[in-house]
């Protein structure tokens, strides 16, 4: 049961209470009918958990060669594009729970499904909605789909900005998710289409096919260079809430800064080993000629180096 249905039943129960209060005791038949309906509603409400939130909804619309104004869209392109977009969102969402393998099925893929709930007009596209895990339209408190759409949208926007903009957006993106988004953009390029993505009060859109092509090129492996490396030095400090760190390199005394990866649950514990020699493993992202971004994957306790 979704939030709207739950609230409708609650409102109906309230109206029945008012009607019962206004109906004289002598109108026994009417009172029995009202009470019967109220009992049935309470029985339903008692059997379902209270919905916490509405599902995440988005509108993905297209323009360009495969689209006939607001009348229709080539079925082959529409099916392929929305499937590639759904795959990308699933990859982004799944990667928040842990690193994705380079191959194979996306872990817990069914938990990150999108429903097509209608056609979006204006140009032509689809209304998409997060699917509940239990199939009964009940949604957990926090959505993994919303941050996934946020990240995908931010990455497409950053791909049209500077190298530093793109490096910031891409630094904590799983390579598999990046590939999935690139596949979606390649589909647009191959069909000379552009897209617009609207959700909540946010919107990202490509203005023309040149921007789509540029975005795809800038998200390529040639432009975004990633690697894991071991670095020796000492932590200078960590901000636990912001999950950022500073680290002095033993080789050059340079201080680098970066994000603490999701694999380190409590970033604050690093502050107990400040200024002590250690070795860390970081994921490094470089875009174009921009400076590298670092994500801390793991670190060694100083005692293990003795």
């Amino acid at each position: 049961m979704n939030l709207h249905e739950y609230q409708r039943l609650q409102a109906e129960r309230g109206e029945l209470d008012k009607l019962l209060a206004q109906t004289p005791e002598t109108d026994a038949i009417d009172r029995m009918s009202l009470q019967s309906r109220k009992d049935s509603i309470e029985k339903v409400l008692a059997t379902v958990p209270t919905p916490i939130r509405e599902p995440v909804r988005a509108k993905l619309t297209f323009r360009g060669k495969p689209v006939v104004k607001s009348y229709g869209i080539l079925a082959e392109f529409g099916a392929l594009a929305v499937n590639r977009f759904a795959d990308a969102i699933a990859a982004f969402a799944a990667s928040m729970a842990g690193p994705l393998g380079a191959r194979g099925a996306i872990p817990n893929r069914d938990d990150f499904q999108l429903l097509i709930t209608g056609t979006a007009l204006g140009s032509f596209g689809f209304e998409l909605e997060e699917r509940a895990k239990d199939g009964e339209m009940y949604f957990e408190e926090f959505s993994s789909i919303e941050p996934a759409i946020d990240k995908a949208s931010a990455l497409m926007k950053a791909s049209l900005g500077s190298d530093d903009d793109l490096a910031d957006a891409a630094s904590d993106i799983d390579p598999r998710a990046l590939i999935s988004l690139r596949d979606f953009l390649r589909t647009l390029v191959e069909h000379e289409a552009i897209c617009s993505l609207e959700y909540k009060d946010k919107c990202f859109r490509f203005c023309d096919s040149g921007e789509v092509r540029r975005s795809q090129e800038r998200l390529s492996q040639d432009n975004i260079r990633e690697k894991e490396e071991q670095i020796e030095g000492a932590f200078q400090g960590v901000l636990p809430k912001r999950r950022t760190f500073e680290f002095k390199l033993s080789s050059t005394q340079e201080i680098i800064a970066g994000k603490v990866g999701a694999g380190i649950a409590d970033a604050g514990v690093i502050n107990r080993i400040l200024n002590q020699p250690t070795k860390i493993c970081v994921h490094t992202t470089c875009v174009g000629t921009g400076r590298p971004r670092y994500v801390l994957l793991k670190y060694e306790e100083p005692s293990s180096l003795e």
Side-chain angles (χ1 to χ4, degrees), residues 3-298:
L3 185 59
H4 175 74
E5 293 169 332
Y6 191 88
Q7 291 174 334
R8 181 182 61 76
L9 288 178
Q10 283 185 313
E12 185 178 352
R13 182 178 60 182
E15 287 299 316
L16 290 168
D17 281 336
K18 291 179 183 178
L19 291 172
L20 281 166
Q22 296 167 2
T23 304
E25 294 287 345
T26 53
D27 292 344
I29 295 178
D30 287 343
R31 289 186 64 83
M32 286 178 59
S33 175
L34 294 170
Q35 187 63 51
S36 174
R37 176 57 182 162
K38 180 185 173 184
D39 290 345
S40 67
I41 290 174
E42 288 182 335
K43 186 176 180 180
V44 171
L45 292 176
T47 59
V48 297
T50 304
I52 297 173
R53 62 174 176 82
E54 290 281 356
V56 176
R57 297 186 175 93
K59 286 201 299 185
L60 181 66
T61 56
F62 302 96
R63 287 186 292 143
K65 196 171 181 179
V67 181
V68 182
K69 298 183 178 179
S70 60
Y71 181 73
I73 190 169
L74 294 182
E76 181 181 0
F77 166 77
L80 181 60
V82 78
N83 187 50
R84 290 273 165 79
F85 178 79
D87 283 347
I89 296 304
F92 276 88
S95 69
M96 293 175 201
L100 303 180
R103 296 179 180 176
I106 296 291
N108 303 313
R109 178 67 173 82
D110 282 348
D111 291 346
F112 312 116
Q113 293 280 2
L114 294 175
L115 294 173
I116 297 175
T117 57
T119 54
L121 301 179
S123 48
F124 198 95
F126 305 97
E127 294 179 349
L128 305 173
E129 183 177 300
E130 172 186 20
R131 194 191 74 163
K133 292 180 181 178
D134 58 8
E136 296 180 358
M137 303 299 286
Y138 176 74
F139 294 91
E140 295 179 346
E141 183 175 4
F142 298 105
S143 167
S144 56
I145 295 296
E146 183 174 349
I149 295 176
D150 270 334
K151 283 181 176 287
S153 178
L155 197 54
M156 288 191 288
K157 181 179 180 181
S159 70
L160 303 177
S162 67
D163 286 345
D164 283 342
D165 290 338
L166 184 52
D168 285 337
S171 63
D172 59 349
I173 301 297
D174 189 281
R176 182 90 174 266
L178 187 59
I179 291 171
S180 296
L181 184 62
R182 212 157 50 213
D183 288 344
F184 169 66
L185 295 175
R186 189 180 72 248
T187 301
L188 300 185
V189 169
E190 289 174 349
H191 292 79
E192 299 180 43
I194 63 177
C195 77
S196 172
L197 175 62
E198 298 179 49
Y199 63 105
K200 289 199 164 179
D201 57 348
K202 305 171 186 176
C203 178
F204 168 79
R205 60 168 52 91
F206 290 108
C207 293
D208 54 48
S209 56
E211 283 193 344
V212 183
R213 193 174 301 106
R214 184 186 173 211
S215 179
Q216 182 201 11
E217 291 170 354
R218 297 199 69 226
L219 292 178
S220 70
Q221 288 179 309
D222 290 339
N223 192 51
I224 300 179
R225 303 177 303 281
E226 300 176 289
K227 63 179 180 180
E228 290 186 12
E229 58 181 324
Q230 307 282 335
I231 301 176
E232 293 185 2
F235 284 107
Q236 301 300 292
V238 170
L239 295 177
K241 298 294 184 184
R242 300 184 63 179
R243 297 183 62 82
T244 58
F245 73 94
E246 288 188 348
F247 189 84
K248 182 186 282 187
L249 307 181
S250 59
S251 58
T252 64
Q253 302 303 300
E254 176 192 358
I255 294 179
I256 64 172
K259 301 176 183 176
V260 178
I264 299 175
D266 185 359
V269 300
I270 297 174
N271 282 323
R272 61 184 169 78
I273 58 169
L274 299 184
N275 300 308
Q276 299 180 51
T278 185
K279 184 185 292 184
I280 63 175
C281 178
V282 293
H283 180 85
T284 305
T285 303
C286 290
V287 176
T289 58
R291 59 186 175 83
R293 266 47 172 190
Y294 302 95
V295 174
L296 178 64
L297 302 178
K298 56 186 177 182

